[in-house]
Amino acid sequence: MSDAIPPVVPAGRLASLPQPEFHLPGTGGLRLRPWTAYDAPALVEACHDPDIRYWNRPSLLDEAGAVARIARWEARRRAEEGVVWAVAPAPGGRAVGLIGLGDVDLAGGSAEFLYWLLPAGRGRGAMARATDHVGRWAFEDLGLHRLRITHSVANPASCAVAVRAGYPLEGTMRAALLHADGWHDEHLHARLRTD
């Protein structure tokens, strides 16, 4: 970014903020909280779930690999590159999903959502509520200007989450992501802090 244009969010802001926890009303007690090593079996399960594998393309992990990945997520938060939450039953339940912000650009004021749910977390409206909570935090507390959601046009569930959470469709990116069955067009949804 040019020296003449100040950063939208100053460096150090994300690392200095405590990662909040959120209750997700109307979801049967689900909440958002940081991932811990306790959640490693859920991450292993997610990496083997056919729907999550198809749409999110995670690498296969064993429990040690999942623990290492969870530690890397915290390191990425401290490095201001991303932040992820576990979607989990309260109190004390293992994760049934993930939501986070990746591709964080503090200077440019933007980030992209990533999310998935295991079957145990689906069908409760949890992801739209989680997207709303994380989005409000990213705008109001962190200070980002723009948040986006991208997903394959063949994934109506992700599209419904984006729309329900208030992220309107901006357009379609042609052949934007390679899946196991070839290139997929992707929808681009976005919201501004001023919306």
Side-chain angles (χ1 to χ4, degrees):
M1 183 148 288
S2 165
D3 291 339
I5 302 171
V8 175
V9 177
R13 175 85 177 137
L14 176 56
S16 69
L17 283 176
Q19 186 172 349
E21 296 190 15
F22 302 104
H23 172 69
L24 302 176
T27 64
L30 293 177
R31 65 187 179 116
L32 303 183
R33 60 161 174 77
W35 281 79
T36 69
Y38 172 74
D39 297 305
L43 183 55
V44 171
E45 182 183 350
C47 292
H48 289 84
D49 179 88
D51 290 331
I52 293 171
R53 282 193 60 70
Y54 183 75
W55 298 118
N56 295 276
R57 308 172 314 145
S59 55
L60 292 175
L61 295 172
D62 60 15
E63 194 157 334
V67 169
R69 171 139 329 145
I70 291 165
R72 277 198 308 273
W73 287 337
E74 176 55 20
R76 288 178 53 79
R77 187 190 69 77
R78 288 192 311 269
E80 302 191 301
E81 297 169 349
V83 58
V84 296
W85 284 262
V87 179
R94 277 205 178 100
V96 296
L98 173 146
I99 186 166
L101 297 172
D103 197 21
V104 173
D105 177 3
L106 295 181
S110 69
E112 182 170 345
F113 276 98
L114 47 124
Y115 50 72
W116 51 256
L117 283 170
L118 287 165
R122 296 175 190 159
R124 305 185 208 185
M127 200 49 72
R129 286 180 178 87
T131 301
D132 179 61
H133 281 293
V134 171
R136 281 190 282 123
W137 174 82
F139 288 137
E140 297 168 11
D141 295 348
L142 183 55
L144 293 180
H145 169 71
R146 179 180 167 85
L147 296 173
R148 67 188 177 278
I149 298 170
T150 61
H151 63 83
S152 168
V153 298
N155 186 348
S158 279
C159 197
V161 165
V163 171
R164 280 196 306 265
Y167 288 76
L169 179 64
E170 288 191 341
T172 301
M173 301 180 296
R174 296 179 307 129
L177 191 62
L178 183 60
H179 285 269
D181 59 354
W183 290 98
H184 283 223
D185 291 353
E186 285 204 311
H187 280 161
L188 169 63
H189 300 258
R191 188 169 179 176
L192 306 178
R193 181 172 51 203
T194 54
D195 288 345

